[in-house]
């Protein structure tokens, strides 16, 4: 009895601590500063879209949003494709060479971004890949390859050998086996990895901050960060930015929650 | 831990008798072309990841500013300065350790408590899990802005609520108070990621056989005793994962610090990753590269010590 009471109390309090700030943010994005400060928890008396117009139009979050869509839209499928090819090759070969290859790529997970970002910047600068959305796609692929290979190789190794043997017996070469056997049976793990990559690439701040200094090439997190200086304590505008920046991920979360939990957790367990 | 993590279950496939081989090669042996599949990944990884990492080691023994065509070889001077004569680095290091300790302790305990309360797959548990997990999917900058308002000394949620209930003597400047600022950011970090760690714990908890609890109950063990002697040892592998991941996360909390502490952050919020970034922004490429190596070695050794500690207390992890 006492246990159930404690349990309910703890869960209720924590649910309030998660939900209330989020509600304040959503309500706040429709308010003026005065209204937000006067009654932060109340729904807006008048649902005004003025903040949204200002944030998306004048402050350039609209352009940043488009850039983020382009960068994430290319980074996620390309990383998945390249990593799934590698994982298939690694999972289907044996011996020390295969193990070494796997270890070598996966070792990249142990290198924190801040450890090689400076030489990467120099390199991208030399190749003319700074201030370029393509450069961001490339760096996203490179930095998330190790973990994507790790997650997908782990999955492919759990597949029964008979699956591949049957394909080989049917005369299917490695490439055909990859796209007609491996990809179809990997849909759940590919989806989970895709969501994991989507969250990382969409939310990434470090590389765009490092590589981009033209305002028109900014992605969402950098544009949002720049609000801090621009609007200082104009919280309704900051909140509007938060809502716009999070919208695609939140919508995806509502529909694909299972994959979010699987993907982000697999990333944590394995990373 | 596969129950809640990967919903994948490979379909049944008919097995053909292996004696019918259309080609001369045994289907059991790997096709040589399989070695070509990792090539694209390998080329990109070596070119844009491995080479820059090695390049960083080269920079670290120079005084390169990032622009000059040449740089002076300075030997280990950068490293000597980092360890003996750099107050900024020392400050960032000490902030980072404080941050890490608070985050690791609170995030591990809270995520375990929430997970224990939500282990069963009832409707309400599943709903609460998805609510608690939610903050993890937001960007750090978004989370930083939400908490900037919560902590705002004049208009913020905490001070407003304290004022409304007559507890205004507990009002604080939060991030404005240099002695406390890093701890307030640590609390934000826990709110941000506790749900993710909770899911890892739930996966671990669901693997504990129910019979253990049933027999403990017949022996008259209290709930606390059951937790202490069954749950805690049985989730030790999950604890190891949660602590290791949380530790690394607290060294990478770059975005959250920039969002809450400004860019560059004020010194009471400077941590190692932001310090390295500032070195880069101030064109001290050689020096910042040396800091990066120290940073990487530090994370590696803390992770290693943790793993040893976990192994020492739980031999079967």
């Amino acid at each position: 009895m006492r246990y159930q009471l404690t349990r309910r109390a703890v869960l209720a309090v924590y649910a309030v601590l998660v939900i209330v700030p989020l509600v304040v943010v959503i309500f706040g994005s429709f308010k003026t500063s005065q209204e937000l400060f006067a009654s932060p928890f109340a729904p807006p008396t008048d649902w005004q879209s003025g903040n949204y117009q200002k944030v998306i139009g004048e402050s350039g979050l609209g352009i940043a949003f488009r850039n983020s869509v382009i960068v994430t839209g290319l980074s996620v499928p390309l990383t998945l494709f390249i990593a799934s090819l590698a994982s298939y090759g690694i999972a289907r070969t044996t011996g020390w060479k295969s193990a070494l290859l796997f270890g070598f790529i996966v070792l990249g997970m142990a290198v924190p971004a801040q450890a090689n970002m400076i030489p990467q910047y120099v390199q991208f600068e030399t190749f003319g890949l700074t201030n370029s959305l393509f450069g961001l796609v490339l760096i996203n692929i490179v930095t998330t390859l190790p973990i994507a290979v790790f997650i997908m190789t782990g999955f492919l190794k759990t597949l029964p050998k008979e699956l591949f043997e049957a394909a080989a017996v049917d005369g299917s070469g490695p490439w055909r086996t990859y796209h007609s056997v491996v990809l179809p049976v990997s849909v759940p793990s590919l989806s989970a990895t895709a969501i994991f990559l989507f969250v990382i690439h969409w939310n990434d701040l470090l590389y765009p901050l490092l590589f981009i200094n033209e305002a028109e090439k900014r992605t969402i997190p950098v544009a949002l960060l720049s609000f801090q200086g621009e609007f200082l304590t104009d919280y309704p505008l900051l909140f509007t930015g938060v809502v716009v920046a999070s919208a695609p991920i939140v919508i995806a979360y509502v529909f694909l929650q299972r994959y979010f939990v699987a993907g982000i957790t697999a990333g944590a367990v394995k990373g | 831990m596969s129950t809640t993590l990967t919903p994948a279950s490979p379909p049944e496939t008919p097995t053909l008798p292996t004696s019918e081989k259309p080609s001369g090669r045994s289907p059991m042996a790997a096709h040589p072309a399989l070695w070509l599949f990792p090539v694209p990944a390998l080329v990109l990884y070596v070119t844009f990841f491995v080479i820059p990492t090695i390049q960083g080691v080269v920079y670290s023994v120079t005084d390169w500013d990032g622009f000059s065509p040449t740089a002076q070889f300075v030997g280990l001077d950068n490293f000597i300065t980092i360890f003996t004569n750099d107050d900024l680095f020392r400050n960032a290091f000490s902030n980072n350790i404080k941050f890490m300790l608070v985050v690791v302790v609170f995030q591990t305990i809270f995520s375990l408590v929430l997970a224990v309360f939500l282990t069963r797959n009832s409707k309400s548990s599943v709903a609460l899990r998805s609510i608690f997990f939610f903050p993890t999917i937001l960007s750090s900058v978004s989370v930083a802005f939400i908490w900037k308002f919560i902590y705002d000394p004049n208009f913020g949620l905490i001070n407003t609520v304290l004022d409304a209930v007559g507890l205004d003597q507990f009002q604080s400047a939060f991030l404005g108070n240099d002695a406390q600022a890093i701890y307030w950011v640590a609390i934000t970090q826990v709110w941000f990621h506790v749900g993710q760690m909770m899911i890892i714990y739930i996966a671990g908890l669901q693997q504990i056989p129910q019979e253990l609890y049933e027999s403990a109950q017949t022996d008259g063990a209290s709930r606390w005793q059951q937790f202490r002697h069954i749950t805690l040892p049985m989730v030790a592998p999950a604890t190891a994962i949660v602590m290791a991941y949380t530790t690394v996360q607290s060294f990478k909390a770059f975005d959250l610090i920039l969002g809450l502490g400004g860019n560059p952050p004020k010194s009471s919020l400077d941590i190692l990753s932001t310090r390295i970034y500032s070195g880069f922004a101030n064109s001290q490429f050689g020096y910042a590269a040396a800091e990066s190596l120290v940073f990487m070695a530090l994370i590696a050794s803390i992770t290693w010590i943790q793993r040893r500690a976990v192994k020492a207390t739980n031999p079967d992890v």
Side-chain angles (χ1 to χ4, degrees):
Chain A
M1 204 45 219
R2 218 182 62 202
Y3 172 78
Q4 279 306 330
L5 227 64
T6 323
R7 176 179 177 270
R8 287 195 180 175
V10 168
L11 293 176
V13 168
Y14 197 65
V16 168
L17 289 179
V18 174
I19 295 169
V20 167
L22 300 174
V23 171
V24 167
V25 166
I26 295 169
F27 284 172
S29 69
F30 294 97
K31 292 176 184 172
T32 60
S33 286
Q34 290 90 320
E35 195 188 349
L36 177 71
F37 296 153
S39 48
F41 301 105
T45 44
D46 176 20
W47 295 76
Q48 292 197 19
S49 61
N51 292 328
Y52 285 88
Q53 283 160 10
K54 189 165 179 195
V55 156
I56 294 170
E58 290 166 44
S59 73
L61 205 65
I63 297 167
F65 194 91
R66 190 205 60 193
N67 291 341
S68 275
V69 169
I70 295 172
V71 171
T72 311
L74 289 171
S75 307
V76 173
L78 285 173
T79 312
L80 272 184
F81 176 59
I82 297 167
S84 65
L85 281 178
S87 304
Y88 170 55
I90 292 168
R92 289 296 300 140
T93 49
T94 48
W96 67 270
K97 275 187 267 179
S98 174
L100 182 72
L101 192 60
F102 179 66
F104 178 59
I105 294 179
V106 163
L107 193 64
M109 297 192 321
V111 180
Q114 282 83 10
N116 53 13
M117 64 182 189
I118 295 167
Q120 273 168 338
Y121 171 81
V122 175
Q123 187 185 41
F124 275 59
E125 175 92 283
T126 317
F127 291 146
L129 291 169
T130 48
N131 275 319
S132 130
L133 296 182
F134 175 71
L136 288 182
V137 172
L138 186 61
I139 197 75
N140 279 342
I141 296 174
V142 168
T143 50
T144 46
L145 257 181
I147 191 151
V149 167
F150 194 95
I151 296 174
M152 281 194 275
T153 306
F155 169 76
L156 288 174
K157 287 203 162 163
T158 64
L159 293 178
K161 279 209 170 61
E162 293 78 25
L163 189 67
F164 301 102
E165 284 163 15
V169 167
D170 287 346
S172 165
W175 174 250
R176 220 184 86 195
T177 309
Y178 168 77
H179 67 76
S180 62
V181 178
V182 173
L183 287 186
V185 301
S186 306
V187 168
S189 102
L190 285 172
S191 316
T193 315
I195 294 286
F196 174 72
L197 294 172
F198 171 46
V199 174
I200 294 186
H201 294 165
W202 182 268
N203 288 338
D204 181 47
L205 174 71
L206 180 68
Y207 294 106
L209 197 61
L210 213 56
F211 289 2
I212 305 289
N213 49 44
E214 290 171 16
E216 318 79 73
K217 300 264 174 66
R218 279 178 184 165
T219 56
I220 280 268
V222 184
L224 202 56
L225 187 68
S226 74
F227 274 26
Q228 202 185 31
E230 256 175 86
F231 303 126
L232 222 63
T233 50
D234 192 338
Y235 287 109
L237 282 184
L238 297 184
F239 289 173
T240 310
V242 168
V243 173
V244 172
S246 316
I249 291 207
V250 173
I251 292 167
Y253 183 64
V254 171
F255 293 104
L256 303 167
Q257 214 187 96
R258 193 165 71 114
Y259 296 117
F260 268 84
V261 173
I264 294 184
T265 314
V269 171
K270 287 150 182 170
Chain B
M1 292 203 173
S2 58
T3 44
T4 52
L5 296 188
T6 24
S9 65
E12 296 279 326
T13 38
T15 324
L16 297 179
T18 36
S19 51
E20 298 168 30
K21 296 173 203 162
S23 66
R25 196 180 308 108
S26 154
M28 303 294 284
H31 194 290
L34 281 168
W35 291 102
L36 295 175
F37 282 73
V39 169
L42 205 58
V43 169
L44 289 175
Y45 176 66
V46 169
T47 316
F48 297 105
F49 197 96
V50 178
I51 292 178
T53 308
I54 297 166
Q55 196 71 42
V57 179
V58 177
Y59 293 165
S60 73
V61 290
T62 69
D63 65 354
W64 195 38
D65 59 8
F67 303 100
S68 313
T70 55
Q72 284 270 310
F73 173 77
V74 296
L76 296 178
D77 283 5
N78 289 334
F79 294 94
I80 294 168
T81 311
I82 290 170
F83 286 113
T84 60
N85 192 22
D86 183 346
D87 291 340
L88 292 173
F89 188 85
R90 191 168 305 163
N91 169 60
F93 175 79
S94 108
N95 284 339
N96 216 148
I97 296 293
K98 289 177 197 162
F99 182 73
M100 180 199 81
L101 290 174
V102 173
V103 172
V104 169
V105 169
F106 284 92
Q107 189 155 296
T108 308
I109 295 174
F110 283 169
S111 58
L112 178 58
V113 169
L114 295 176
V116 166
F117 288 158
L118 296 177
T119 307
R120 292 218 186 118
N121 290 326
S122 69
K123 256 201 182 124
S124 61
S125 289
V126 173
L128 282 171
R129 275 183 221 162
S130 46
I131 292 171
F132 295 168
F133 185 81
F134 182 83
T136 299
I137 67 169
L138 298 175
S139 75
S140 307
V141 183
S142 298
V143 171
F145 285 179
I146 297 171
W147 281 80
K148 245 171 107 82
F149 181 61
I150 293 177
Y151 288 148
D152 190 293
N154 304 312
F155 316 107
L157 288 187
I158 301 182
N159 281 351
T160 305
V161 170
L162 287 174
D163 189 48
V165 297
L167 292 170
D168 40 335
Q169 72 267 31
F170 293 109
Q171 286 186 340
S172 165
F174 300 103
L175 302 171
N177 180 332
D178 282 341
Q180 301 172 352
I182 195 74
Y183 300 110
W184 295 115
V185 180
I187 288 174
T188 303
Q189 172 81 359
V190 172
W191 182 86
F192 192 5
H193 287 298
V194 76
Q196 189 185 5
M197 298 302 119
M198 171 195 76
I199 297 288
I200 296 176
Y201 264 130
I202 289 174
L205 288 167
Q206 288 182 338
Q207 304 235 303
I208 304 177
Q210 275 306 304
E211 301 83 67
L212 288 180
Y213 293 106
E214 284 157 18
S215 61
Q217 256 162 2
T218 34
D219 292 347
S222 70
R223 264 189 194 275
W224 170 251
Q225 285 170 324
Q226 291 175 35
F227 175 78
R228 176 73 194 76
H229 297 289
I230 302 172
T231 311
L232 218 45
M234 294 293 283
V235 290
T239 305
I241 293 167
V242 167
M243 287 181 65
Y245 191 73
T246 304
T247 305
V248 175
Q249 242 179 7
S250 61
F251 281 99
K252 289 182 178 170
F254 176 83
D255 323 22
L256 193 62
I257 296 279
L258 287 196
L260 281 170
N263 179 15
K266 57 178 188 164
S267 72
S268 61
L269 288 178
D270 205 13
I271 60 170
L272 292 171
S273 54
T274 50
R275 181 94 299 273
I276 296 168
Y277 182 78
S278 300
F280 165 82
N282 297 326
S283 303
Q284 301 169 303
F285 279 37
Y287 192 74
E291 287 178 320
S292 303
L293 290 180
V294 174
F295 176 66
M296 191 160 76
L298 182 76
I299 295 181
S301 39
I302 290 181
T303 316
W304 184 76
I305 293 169
Q306 259 184 358
R307 199 161 294 177
R308 286 295 298 262
V310 170
K311 277 221 170 100
T313 45
N314 293 283
D316 41 299
V317 171

